[in-house]
Amino acid sequence: MSFKMRKIFFLFPFYISMLGQETLKDTIQPKRQNLEEVIISATRNVRQFSSIPLPAILIGEEEIKNSGATKLIEILVEQAGIISVPDFTVGGEEGIQIQGISSDYITILIDGVPLIGRNSGNFDLSRIAVNNIKQIEVVKGPSSSLFGSDALGGIINIVTNETLPNKLSGEISHQQGSFGLADSNLSFAKKNKKFGYSVFLNRYSTNGYDLSSELPGKTVDPYINLTFQPKFLYDFSEEIKFTQSFRYFYQNQNIYNGDSEEKDFYSHSLINHKVSENWKIKYELYTTQYNSFQELNFSDNPNASQKTTFDQKLFKPEIRINYNPIAEKNLMIGFGGNLESLDRNLFKEKVKFNSNYGFIQYDFYPSKKLNTIVGVRYDQHSEYASQLSPKVSFKYFIKDNFSIKGSVGSGFKAPDFRQLYLDYTNSTVGYTVLGKTVEKQGVDLLNQNNQLLNLYIPINELGGVLNAESSTGYNFAVSYKKNSFFTEINLFRNDIKNLIDTRILARKINGQNVFGYQNLNSIFTQGIEINSNYKGFDKVTFSFAYQLLYSYDKDKLSLISKGEVYSRDPETLSSFLIGKQDYFGLPNRSRHSSSIKISYNSSDDKTKINLRVNYRSKYAMYDTNGNDLIDNFDSSFVNGYSLVNTSFTQNLSTKLSLQLGSRNIFNYKNPTNIPSLSGRQLYINLNYNY
Amino acid sequence: MKQSIFLNFFYFMSAAFFIVSCSKEENTTTLINLSKTYEDLYAPQGGGRGEPISGEFTKFDLSTGHITADPEGWDIAFRGTAIAINGGSPTGTLDEPPRNGNGGATFVSGTFESVTVAPSNFSEDSSEGFAIPGGSGNGWYNYNPQMRMITPIPGKILVVRTRDGKYAKIEILSYYRGAPANPNPMADASRYYTFRFLYNPNEGSSSLE
């Protein structure tokens, strides 16, 4: 499998150059179907979705509404090749994976600007309400050539409504469901000749749930959150248009023995300047902040009480220049800066990052059937080595309904503040974690105070540079469309190196370890994605997606082939040598995953029913037999499972609709291994448009 | 652990066969290797949680295959995850047993069966640390911080030079009471060593078969 794929990838440059030289006189322009469907984040320009040379998913407003989703995570995990995974680093303990890469490595954007607030590396996707979303765009594979750091595995862009109605209109909706779910939405918008506005308001609350009553507290504690997103438009002239958006988010959770609060805020200003027919300039100013606060109080042990704070700020100006002489040629040049700061109680002091960047992208048709996009971005950073992130992609229409596309791109994720600046000693257990920049002085200090029993890393090897984690992604897809049938098969491979992990620096006299961060592992993920749909039946649409995934640590593979890895017989507990066939791969990765959707739409469009099934095969959580990798003899495997969601929508009048639905209708639960699964949730949703 | 009875029998039989076949030719007595699985050696510790670790080590005599209170008649000693050797000098940790022997320790990669001869490079305890290093991945175990679980690293066979210069090999099988196949660190009591070992009582013989 891996051999075959490598061969294909090797052919990439050859394909590109071969097709590039071809002169096609009598070819037809790729057929423009579904003119409505456009994608913005793939090129940072409005592009027709069906012609885009990158692996991408588009989720439209109607699909979001029909699914009954309230939070971004709910709608994402139903998409082809995106799977929901238990993730213990975020509050809700649910994360996602794209092509085997977790959401730590995926940039989350609203209207093209990044959201911040990754408390422990991951972004909590339940922070985003979906009711005002026009579409969600997912671009798979490294995208740092446009978006810089964090876009190592891909990006998710949320597009809010841009075209505003001339007459005041809006929507009021309310969803009430099991576990005390109450989700209320209010939105309205209007545009005069020059001035327009839209306002979105969401309130969400839940009582949480408890899967294991014998443990104190609930599995998920009750919480409430509010989202307020106003947007203003002003057209100074036909040529100069101004947009100003704000977002304010507040969440409060009553956690066991304490209280937890999260806030985020942004202001996003954009001026579109049409200098001439061919030249357009976008001036963007983005400023955002994220605060979280947690307080734990123990009445029996007041000394163990603790407060955690996390205050992050980002200021980001950017200018993008587009030169667009003809419809099929677009040159974009952009540059900007990031000024970032983080104040956290686990840091000695407030820390700051500065970075400047520039990027260039050329999107053109070397021949009428061939679209090519080449781009590169350069990031210069105050704390780590500069990054150059190139990307090349192409799409070639062999026939009108038969096309191939491929891309090679690079991505990176900068070391985060925690990995650089953390200086933390656990007060109850007594271990210490040191960020890279404070590693040497931290160990020195412990040594001077006679706190160290022994050093595992020589003192002169401490400190030094932590490199950005970086990836190279390859995608190659074949798409075929006939009548109402569409299918796309994509082969992918992502090579990721310099993954940052903790290592033990020293042992303290209390027996606990001193941990530091280090670039350690090289991994890869590869596989096949199949995505098909059939719209041939009168009222029923059927779609099917499947992903085959292999993901391994390269160093572990080489240790195994050298015959240095042993496992333990689960019965006798004695060691034996293992081979490659026994290595299951990285934790939390399923070999197979699939999603099936069936939807029914009555001919008068008044009744809609859908059924969505999401499956993932077995996976392992962690090593249990001491060899530091997942082999077939480990005992932490979680059996494969399916989640089934369904909803029924009935339009009661042109303005009023009623929806009944169920998430996880078969009530699948696994309290020990998947605490993010609450069990069956029924809901009712009323929606009024005006 | 049923296997161990069978293995003991197997080793006993092969050792017996070895003796019979050798003694006929050489006319010297070869002593029988001691091979067994020791279950649930309890190695408690005090301190921790910000305090220095303390408490008596549980001492083990490889020549008898039993724990011992004899301050001199021991080869290896256990306290929590730390393992001391009766050889070298004090490490500086609290309450460590005095060393009066010529012991040493080293690790050999392989299965218990594949380690057939003792190597020559042994480490001794010293002020630099134990001959058997502590910490996850450094010595005999890996620590999973998420599950708070100690697992012996498979394929790491501990070879020991005893206090009086004999050789033994040890495979640590479990750190939890009853040596459960899937220990639950929340429910199963820890600091209970189950290990199998083979001790060669013959002076000057480095064979571990």
Side-chain angles (χ1 to χ4, degrees):
Chain A
M1 154 84 209
S2 71
F3 172 66
K4 267 189 186 166
M5 287 193 45
R6 236 170 256 152
K7 231 175 156 181
I8 290 165
F9 292 135
F10 176 70
L11 288 172
F12 261 174
F14 175 65
Y15 263 119
I16 294 167
S17 61
M18 182 186 77
L19 297 171
Q21 283 159 17
E22 220 170 328
T23 48
L24 296 157
K25 287 175 190 165
D26 50 354
T27 54
I28 12 140
Q29 190 61 23
K31 202 172 173 183
R32 304 257 153 123
Q33 288 157 330
N34 258 339
L35 275 173
E36 289 292 300
E37 283 200 330
V38 295
I39 182 165
I40 303 165
S41 53
T43 58
R44 307 198 70 178
N45 280 306
V46 176
R47 266 292 301 256
Q48 181 198 14
F49 179 64
S50 62
S51 73
I52 204 78
L54 301 165
I57 301 174
L58 212 58
I59 311 162
E61 190 174 8
E62 191 172 334
E63 182 178 347
I64 299 169
K65 290 265 153 71
N66 288 344
S67 75
T70 55
K71 295 290 175 191
L72 183 61
I73 182 96
E74 294 167 3
I75 186 79
L76 281 178
V77 301
E78 294 187 351
Q79 305 307 314
I82 301 185
I83 50 172
S84 151
V85 294
D87 189 324
F88 297 93
T89 62
V90 291
E93 298 184 334
E94 188 174 17
I96 56 157
Q97 254 174 31
I98 298 179
Q99 295 186 346
I101 298 171
S102 71
S103 41
D104 301 33
Y105 299 96
I106 292 159
T107 299
I108 314 293
L109 309 149
I110 293 187
D111 292 323
V113 289
L115 289 172
I116 59 167
R118 293 165 183 252
N119 237 325
S120 30
N122 203 342
F123 189 90
D124 183 3
L125 290 163
S126 63
R127 246 166 66 193
I128 300 164
V130 298
N131 210 269
N132 67 325
I133 293 177
K134 192 186 173 214
Q135 73 176 21
I136 301 165
E137 306 172 345
V138 181
V139 179
K140 297 178 181 179
S143 306
S144 291
S145 65
L146 280 179
F147 295 99
S149 180
D150 294 3
L152 187 146
I155 57 138
I156 295 170
N157 184 36
I158 291 142
V159 182
T160 61
N161 235 330
E162 289 230 315
T163 45
L164 302 182
N166 295 326
K167 175 172 152 271
L168 181 71
S169 62
E171 189 183 314
I172 301 172
S173 72
H174 183 79
Q175 185 171 127
Q176 194 73 36
S178 327
F179 311 111
L181 163 74
D183 180 71
S184 316
N185 295 283
L186 168 70
S187 63
F188 54 90
K190 183 176 173 8
K191 188 167 191 278
N192 295 332
K193 262 192 170 170
K194 290 191 162 183
F195 177 73
Y197 62 89
S198 75
V199 174
F200 170 66
L201 202 59
N202 169 265
R203 181 198 175 276
Y204 178 94
S205 62
T206 167
N207 294 340
Y209 53 90
D210 196 8
L211 296 172
S212 41
S213 49
E214 67 276 10
L215 294 174
K218 284 182 153 188
T219 309
V220 169
D221 292 307
Y223 64 92
I224 173 171
N225 63 45
L226 299 167
T227 309
F228 176 51
Q229 273 179 255
K231 187 186 226 174
F232 304 96
L233 270 68
Y234 187 77
D235 297 349
F236 287 98
S237 64
E238 269 303 300
E239 287 75 37
I240 300 178
K241 295 180 177 181
F242 175 67
T243 310
Q244 173 66 48
S245 327
F246 298 100
R247 171 184 152 95
Y248 179 77
F249 172 85
Y250 172 83
Q251 177 167 298
N252 186 286
Q253 186 165 30
N254 289 313
I255 54 176
Y256 183 64
N257 275 334
D259 204 30
S260 168
E261 238 178 53
E262 272 185 282
K263 279 186 269 188
D264 74 57
F265 166 81
Y266 76 55
S267 159
H268 179 198
S269 321
L270 179 70
I271 297 171
N272 273 298
H273 183 193
K274 194 174 172 185
V275 183
S276 70
E277 266 316 301
N278 302 342
W279 291 89
K280 295 181 192 83
I281 305 180
K282 286 179 179 176
Y283 303 88
E284 196 167 66
L285 196 63
Y286 178 62
T287 169
T288 180
Q289 65 182 67
Y290 169 85
N291 314 84
S292 91
F293 171 79
Q294 202 176 77
E295 190 171 21
L296 291 171
N297 293 307
F298 303 97
S299 47
D300 51 330
N301 184 6
N303 290 334
S305 298
Q306 45 180 288
K307 281 182 190 172
T308 349
T309 58
F310 184 101
D311 298 314
Q312 189 181 2
K313 285 186 181 134
L314 169 70
F315 176 72
K316 182 185 172 77
E318 188 176 286
I319 294 174
R320 296 192 294 280
I321 303 163
N322 273 288
Y323 174 62
N324 197 196
I326 52 166
E328 280 78 28
K329 249 182 207 161
N330 190 307
L331 178 72
M332 178 174 64
I333 296 171
F335 45 91
N338 288 314
L339 278 140
E340 225 177 327
S341 72
L342 180 62
D343 200 356
R344 193 175 179 179
N345 65 315
L346 306 178
F347 293 173
K348 276 221 159 74
E349 54 196 25
K350 181 171 169 175
V351 289
K352 286 178 183 168
F353 274 0
N354 288 320
S355 70
N356 299 306
Y357 58 86
F359 54 84
I360 180 164
Q361 176 185 267
Y362 186 43
D363 180 353
F364 65 112
Y365 285 80
S367 78
K368 279 188 174 174
K369 285 181 169 182
L370 177 69
N371 174 218
T372 304
I373 303 175
V374 289
V376 64
R377 170 163 160 147
Y378 180 74
D379 281 82
Q380 185 195 46
H381 200 276
S382 61
E383 305 300 315
Y384 59 88
S386 304
Q387 298 290 324
L388 192 69
S389 317
K391 187 165 183 171
V392 179
S393 56
F394 78 93
K395 178 151 185 160
Y396 181 66
F397 280 85
I398 294 171
K399 281 184 182 167
D400 214 14
N401 56 2
F402 181 50
S403 64
I404 54 171
K405 63 181 175 183
S407 64
V408 182
S410 64
F412 73 98
K413 182 178 199 294
D416 64 27
F417 286 110
R418 180 181 48 126
Q419 292 157 342
L420 291 172
Y421 299 105
L422 194 65
D423 182 356
Y424 171 69
T425 297
N426 181 291
S427 58
T428 49
V429 183
Y431 63 88
T432 297
V433 190
L434 297 169
K436 197 68 179 175
T437 59
V438 293
E439 188 174 275
K440 194 167 189 306
Q441 69 196 78
V443 171
D444 273 340
L445 191 68
L446 287 167
N447 211 1
Q448 281 162 24
N449 296 338
N450 296 319
Q451 290 290 302
L452 295 185
L453 197 61
N454 39 26
L455 266 171
Y456 295 123
I457 308 290
I459 203 118
N460 57 3
E461 287 178 23
L462 295 174
V465 180
L466 204 54
N467 289 315
E469 303 175 301
S470 64
S471 71
T472 308
Y474 310 87
N475 284 276
F476 179 79
V478 177
S479 320
Y480 178 73
K481 190 170 166 52
K482 185 157 191 189
N483 302 330
S484 309
F485 176 73
F486 169 80
T487 192
E488 182 168 278
I489 298 168
N490 185 42
L491 308 180
F492 64 90
R493 177 168 168 119
N494 295 290
D495 282 285
I496 308 173
K497 61 178 185 192
N498 284 332
L499 281 180
I500 296 171
D501 206 348
T502 52
R503 62 170 176 173
I504 297 164
L505 306 175
R507 190 157 186 206
K508 296 163 77 173
I509 51 167
N510 64 8
Q512 294 296 332
N513 289 318
V514 180
F515 296 94
Y517 292 95
Q518 182 74 354
N519 291 110
L520 281 173
N521 309 355
S522 292
I523 62 159
F524 70 87
T525 71
Q526 67 179 20
I528 303 173
E529 293 169 282
I530 299 170
N531 198 353
S532 308
N533 59 57
Y534 184 69
K535 294 175 179 167
F537 304 115
D538 190 18
K539 294 163 190 159
V540 178
T541 305
F542 182 84
S543 77
F544 168 80
Y546 167 78
Q547 178 182 271
L548 175 71
L549 174 70
Y550 291 87
S551 63
Y552 296 106
D553 184 306
K554 292 182 187 178
D555 303 323
K556 301 274 193 265
L557 275 178
S558 101
L559 283 177
I560 291 172
S561 57
K562 281 186 207 154
E564 290 175 14
V565 182
Y566 295 80
S567 183
R568 209 170 275 289
D569 186 313
E571 291 288 317
T572 65
L573 299 181
S574 29
S575 304
F576 63 94
L577 195 66
I578 63 165
K580 273 189 178 161
Q581 73 284 354
D582 299 317
Y583 182 24
F584 187 78
L586 300 177
N588 212 349
R589 266 74 170 190
S590 294
R591 180 117 320 136
H592 311 280
S593 60
S594 180
S595 73
I596 296 168
K597 290 176 202 166
I598 303 164
S599 51
Y600 165 87
N601 230 357
S602 69
S603 29
D604 59 3
D605 219 27
K606 278 188 176 164
T607 310
K608 290 164 192 161
I609 304 169
N610 65 52
L611 181 77
R612 292 110 58 201
V613 184
N614 292 288
Y615 166 77
R616 75 178 294 202
S617 66
K618 76 165 180 178
Y619 61 95
M621 302 211 296
Y622 49 86
D623 167 48
T624 61
N625 52 25
N627 57 11
D628 211 17
L629 57 79
I630 309 286
D631 60 58
N632 293 330
F633 307 94
D634 277 312
S635 61
S636 68
F637 280 96
V638 178
N639 287 331
Y641 61 92
S642 293
L643 296 178
V644 182
N645 301 331
T646 183
S647 69
F648 165 82
T649 314
Q650 179 68 48
N651 287 357
L652 302 174
S653 74
T654 47
K655 289 180 172 175
L656 188 67
S657 71
L658 172 75
Q659 186 178 54
L660 300 171
S662 171
R663 301 182 181 101
N664 191 1
I665 194 166
F666 294 112
N667 201 24
Y668 177 79
K669 282 191 247 186
N670 187 339
T672 330
N673 299 322
I674 320 173
S676 57
L677 286 180
S678 64
R680 183 190 305 118
Q681 184 174 44
L682 302 171
Y683 61 87
I684 179 167
N685 198 350
L686 262 177
N687 191 308
Y688 180 73
N689 285 291
Y690 60 95
Chain B
M1 304 312 300
K2 275 180 192 161
Q3 184 93 9
S4 62
I5 297 163
F6 170 73
L7 276 175
N8 287 347
F9 179 69
F10 174 77
Y11 288 123
F12 176 77
M13 286 305 287
S14 50
F17 179 74
F18 182 74
I19 290 163
V20 171
S21 54
C22 289
S23 52
K24 270 183 190 167
E25 291 163 26
E26 290 171 22
N27 211 16
T28 54
T29 40
T30 306
L31 300 168
I32 303 168
N33 287 348
L34 174 63
S35 171
K36 71 183 241 181
T37 298
Y38 194 91
E39 290 172 13
D40 291 337
L41 180 145
Y42 184 42
Q45 71 174 35
R49 300 219 156 218
E51 296 295 315
I53 289 173
S54 59
E56 289 295 314
F57 280 68
T58 305
K59 296 186 284 293
F60 191 82
D61 182 354
L62 284 162
S63 66
T64 63
H66 291 291
I67 57 170
T68 175
D70 182 351
E72 300 194 340
W74 63 281
D75 297 304
I76 57 172
F78 303 82
R79 185 181 72 189
T81 57
I83 303 177
I85 286 290
N86 193 355
S89 51
T91 62
T93 179
L94 292 175
D95 304 328
E96 62 188 316
R99 293 164 182 83
N100 63 309
N102 183 32
T106 190
F107 283 106
V108 178
S109 287
T111 62
F112 191 69
E113 290 75 18
S114 75
V115 178
T116 54
V117 65
S120 51
N121 55 327
F122 285 89
S123 308
E124 297 178 349
D125 288 351
S126 72
S127 56
E128 299 281 296
F130 289 105
I132 300 162
S136 177
N138 298 320
W140 65 270
Y141 66 91
N142 269 322
Y143 176 63
N144 179 335
Q146 193 186 335
M147 298 306 295
R148 300 182 180 176
M149 185 163 72
I150 297 279
T151 24
I153 301 171
K156 272 207 166 185
I157 307 301
L158 175 61
V159 179
V160 171
R161 187 178 67 212
T162 65
R163 63 189 189 275
D164 51 357
K166 314 275 176 46
Y167 295 100
K169 60 177 175 180
I170 300 170
E171 183 182 16
I172 298 169
L173 302 177
S174 175
Y175 189 62
Y176 295 90
R177 184 158 63 193
N182 303 317
N184 173 1
M186 299 298 180
D188 294 317
S190 67
R191 297 171 185 155
Y192 284 87
Y193 284 85
T194 292
F195 54 94
R196 64 168 164 164
F197 70 95
L198 182 143
Y199 169 77
N200 180 350
N202 295 293
E203 190 79 50
S205 166
S206 60
S207 167
L208 292 172
E209 271 186 286

